[in-house]
Amino acid sequence: MEQNNRTKELETRDIAQLLWIYALPAVISQIISSIYNIADRIFIGQGVGALAIAGLAITMPIMNIIHAFGSLIGVGSAARMSIILGRKDYDWAENILGNSTLLTFLLGIPIMVLGYIFMDDILMMFGATEGSLRYAREYMVVILPGMFLTTLSLNLTGLIRATGYPSRSMWIMVIGAVLNMILDPVFIFLLDWGIAGAAWATTISMSVTAILSIWHFVSPSSFIRYKKHEWTPHLYIFRNILLIGMSPFLMNVAASGVVALMNSQLIKYGGDLAVGAYGIANTFGSLLVMFIIGVCQGMQPIAGYSYGAQRFERLKEVYTLTMKVNVLCGLVGTLLVFFVPRYLVAAFTSDPDLLNIGEVAIRYLVIMFPFIGFTITNSQFFMSIDKPWVAIVTGLSRQVLFLAPMCYILPSVFTAVGWNGLTGVWSSATICDVLGSVLAASLLYYNRKVFSVG
């Protein structure tokens, strides 16, 4: 039977081979998503103008929050699905599929409706001016249904990967991304639809992705499929999905808040160039984080299934291998910013002043990336095995517990002793990377029994 083939390899195949099979498509999906987001900005900048780019920038925090809701449902349902498959309860797995889809509609439609009702107020709250408001509104009117479809797609492609189809999950995402990049120039340049053209390109692409994802779970080729019984709401399933998914949701929301805090401190101690340098360092850092998250997404079905099946030796093996890969990735980032930081910054700017500040910023923000790899892997691991509170504390420790207060305290301390306040801002990120990993290691040690008992 198909279900035996799909679950048997999670139980018997070599862990290194499994991690490669599951992680590579996830990493590619992460990179492709990043590329077409960048392409969107390039096409709008070239085809519409500077104010349109400003309007698009205003919508980014809003879309990040909506994306966070996608993570809330998608990560939670995929993690729960893997554990239940490990227990070989296929009827309950189908209940998770139906209930997670139902939950997407229950959360997504009200958010979309509220977005339309309060659109101007929300855009003004995020910094829209008279010049940029028109473009931001024009984009949001079209993109809101697209963001709902993005949430649905994130949920379903995660479930496709969790049920044993990592390559299919990747190809569905790739098809949507490539279609978006094809439609962007057609709508913006050929049809002259302006910024709305970019929104239509994304909405249509996400519609195709959602349809392909739904088709997978309708098709007889999938052993977990949509069935009538699974649409009955189960509050227990809703609670588990939301509780497990709360960690990435809060991390996304906290990240937006921390960026705002850092920017205010950077403007105070370093001006606009410091904010630009932070943006460059963050862009490079996000590429490393995408790789780390992709590897963790590959780990998740293996870890969740092993935990559900009580195969604790395989659980420990996949955790150890994932940790080695992600810490090594962080070490590569550390070596690059240690030896060639200026070349990395020069990929984004040729301004000599920004190059000088950016070279310092990227060293402070990326030098401790092995610690970040360690922390992210632990947070994602505990999500995978239904330990949401450990995942939440681990995931939020660096940003909320340490970085938020320290980016205010440390620059003042540096200034008081006659040092550069801007260096205090950069140093706060470096120190928090270490503190976050220490807390993550402590929580891992405290919960070490997960590798031996259920």
Side-chain angles (χ1 to χ4, degrees):
M1 283 180 65
E2 175 72 8
Q3 68 180 46
N4 290 335
N5 291 336
R6 288 293 168 183
T7 57
K8 188 176 180 180
E9 75 169 12
L10 284 168
E11 199 160 354
T12 60
R13 193 162 186 170
D14 178 72
I15 289 294
Q17 291 179 354
L18 271 179
L19 187 61
W20 173 263
I21 291 169
Y22 277 81
L24 182 62
V27 170
I28 291 172
S29 297
Q30 291 277 328
I31 293 171
I32 290 291
S33 296
S34 176
I35 289 172
Y36 90 76
N37 284 333
I38 293 170
D40 248 4
R41 295 168 197 174
I42 292 172
F43 285 127
I44 290 172
Q46 296 295 327
V48 188
L51 276 178
I53 284 287
L56 181 66
I58 295 301
T59 68
M60 285 297 128
I62 302 169
M63 289 192 287
N64 286 341
I65 292 171
I66 296 174
H67 190 278
F69 277 98
S71 298
L72 174 67
I73 301 171
V75 172
S77 58
R80 194 64 189 162
M81 175 70 77
S82 296
I83 294 169
I84 295 302
L85 288 177
R87 296 173 183 170
K88 299 179 175 58
D89 190 344
Y90 302 116
D91 287 336
W92 197 247
E94 288 174 342
N95 279 318
I96 292 172
L97 170 63
N99 274 246
S100 68
T101 306
L102 184 61
L103 189 58
T104 303
F105 282 90
L106 290 175
L107 288 180
I109 291 176
I111 291 171
M112 185 171 63
V113 171
L114 290 171
Y116 279 118
I117 294 173
F118 299 105
M119 185 176 296
D120 283 6
D121 293 332
I122 294 170
L123 292 172
M124 293 296 288
M125 182 177 68
F126 280 99
T129 62
E130 289 185 10
S132 63
L133 179 62
R134 176 173 70 88
Y135 292 102
R137 185 194 300 120
E138 190 178 346
Y139 187 78
M140 287 299 296
V141 165
V142 180
I143 204 66
L144 273 176
M147 292 308 295
F148 166 71
L149 291 166
T150 299
T151 300
L152 181 61
S153 299
L154 284 171
N155 177 29
L156 294 181
T157 52
L159 288 171
I160 291 170
R161 184 170 54 249
T163 52
Y165 302 85
S167 294
R168 186 174 297 181
S169 174
M170 177 195 73
W171 282 114
I172 289 173
M173 295 296 291
V174 168
I175 288 169
V178 171
L179 181 61
N180 191 93
M181 286 187 279
I182 293 172
L183 293 178
D184 260 338
V186 172
F187 291 164
I188 294 172
F189 296 107
L190 283 180
L191 299 181
D192 196 26
W193 287 1
I195 194 171
W200 276 113
T202 299
T203 300
I204 292 171
S205 301
M206 286 299 102
S207 300
V208 170
T209 301
I211 290 169
L212 290 174
S213 300
I214 292 170
W215 178 255
H216 168 84
F217 287 113
V218 174
S219 170
S221 66
S222 172
F223 77 92
I224 300 296
R225 295 189 294 274
Y226 285 119
K227 293 180 182 176
K228 185 178 179 180
H229 71 86
E230 68 191 29
W231 293 100
T232 303
H234 293 278
L235 295 181
Y236 174 75
I237 295 178
F238 285 175
R239 183 184 69 84
N240 275 337
I241 289 173
L242 295 176
L243 197 55
I244 297 173
M246 191 59 67
S247 178
F249 173 77
L250 292 176
M251 285 173 66
N252 279 327
V253 173
S256 298
V258 167
V259 167
L261 288 174
M262 287 288 287
N263 282 342
S264 67
Q265 289 296 87
L266 290 170
I267 288 173
K268 179 179 179 179
Y269 291 100
D272 290 333
L273 283 180
V275 174
Y278 180 54
I280 291 172
N282 255 352
T283 301
F284 176 72
S286 69
L287 294 174
L288 296 172
V289 168
M290 277 192 300
F291 182 90
I292 292 169
I293 292 290
V295 176
C296 288
Q297 286 178 346
M299 169 194 68
Q300 179 268 312
I302 309 166
Y305 186 93
S306 299
Y307 185 75
Q310 297 192 344
R311 296 291 303 275
F312 300 114
E313 77 287 351
R314 290 175 66 80
L315 180 67
K316 186 174 183 178
E317 188 178 352
V318 72
Y319 167 82
T320 303
L321 181 58
T322 304
M323 183 62 73
K324 288 178 180 177
V325 172
N326 284 343
V327 170
L328 181 61
C329 172
L331 183 60
V332 169
T334 295
L335 293 174
L336 286 173
V337 300
F338 187 81
F339 290 108
V340 291
R342 198 168 188 86
Y343 290 101
L344 298 174
V345 179
F348 298 91
T349 183
S350 57
D351 183 279
D353 293 328
L354 185 53
L355 275 170
N356 291 333
I357 298 177
E359 184 177 352
V360 175
I362 203 168
R363 274 184 166 153
Y364 276 99
L365 269 63
V366 183
I367 198 75
M368 294 298 177
F369 242 76
F371 292 93
I372 293 179
F374 176 83
T375 303
I376 292 175
T377 302
N378 277 299
S379 178
Q380 297 285 318
F381 172 74
F382 283 112
M383 272 190 285
S384 302
I385 61 170
D386 199 9
K387 301 289 182 184
W389 293 112
V390 184
I392 289 170
V393 175
T394 302
L396 291 180
S397 61
R398 176 187 177 272
Q399 293 174 322
V400 177
L401 295 180
F402 300 128
L403 185 54
M406 194 167 288
C407 76
Y408 271 102
I409 296 170
L410 212 56
S412 300
V413 172
F414 273 47
T415 303
V417 298
W419 296 346
N420 189 337
L422 181 58
T423 304
V425 181
W426 301 136
S427 298
S428 65
T430 308
I431 295 169
C432 290
D433 292 340
V434 178
L435 293 177
S437 67
V438 170
L439 180 58
S442 302
L443 290 169
L444 175 66
Y445 180 77
Y446 183 77
N447 291 276
R448 63 192 181 281
K449 288 184 178 180
V450 298
F451 296 112
S452 57
V453 297

